[in-house]
């Protein structure tokens, strides 16, 4: 049933424009950081990673369940600290952002479990 009379071309044109914008961002963005190292101290969690050339800041994505990040933290350095959840595991990944706002791919995730 895939025939040209069933294609809505204005929608597909928008999808192609979005794809081109994404590719332009990735082409201009710094490389993805390495996976972050995580440490727990009391109720706080700290993450650190190797500095990325061309990065003006970093975006740290945190998720506890599901496929999408539940929380983002911005950092001007190659480290960040935040309050840990009460219990349960979570995953952390980092992206580099250049001065123009182009965002890299996210790093591999690091997983950490928290016990009560």
């Amino acid at each position: 049933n895939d025939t040209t009379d069933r294609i809505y071309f204005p929608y597909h044109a928008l999808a192609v424009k979005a794809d081109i914008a994404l590719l332009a961002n990735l082409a201009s963005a710094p490389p993805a950081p390495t996976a972050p190292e995580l440490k727990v101290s009391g109720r706080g969690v700290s993450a650190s990673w190797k500095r990325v050339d061309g990065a003006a800041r970093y975006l740290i994505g945190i998720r506890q369940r599901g496929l999408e990040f539940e929380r983002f933290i911005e950092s001007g350095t190659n480290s960040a600290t935040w309050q840990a959840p009460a219990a349960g595991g979570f995953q952390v990944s980092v992206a580099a952002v250049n001065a123009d706002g182009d965002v890299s791919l996210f790093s591999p995730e690091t997983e950490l479990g928290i016990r009560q």
Side-chain angles (χ1 to χ4, degrees), residues 15-29 102-103 105:
V16 168
K17 287 179 184 178
D19 290 343
I20 290 170
L22 172 65
L23 290 172
N25 173 80
L26 290 174
S28 302
D102 298 314
V103 181
L105 294 174

Side-chain angles (χ1 to χ4, degrees), residues 61-70 72 91 93 109:
I62 304 164
R63 67 184 181 91
Q64 285 187 274
R65 51 197 156 302
L67 298 175
E68 296 181 19
F69 292 120
E70 297 167 351
F72 289 99
Q91 295 81 29
S93 186
E109 289 184 327

Side-chain angles (χ1 to χ4, degrees), residues 35-38 45-47 59-73 82 85 87-94 106-114:
E37 292 183 23
L38 303 178
V45 176
S46 63
L59 187 61
I60 301 97
I62 304 164
R63 67 184 181 91
Q64 285 187 274
R65 51 197 156 302
L67 298 175
E68 296 181 19
F69 292 120
E70 297 167 351
R71 182 175 178 192
F72 289 99
I73 299 170
W82 64 94
F90 59 93
Q91 295 81 29
V92 178
S93 186
V94 181
F106 276 85
S107 71
E109 289 184 327
T110 300
E111 185 171 1
L112 183 67
I114 300 290

Side-chain angles (χ1 to χ4, degrees), residues 6-17 19:
R6 296 178 150 217
I7 296 173
Y8 185 62
F9 288 99
Y11 169 79
H12 288 286
L14 290 174
V16 168
K17 287 179 184 178
D19 290 343

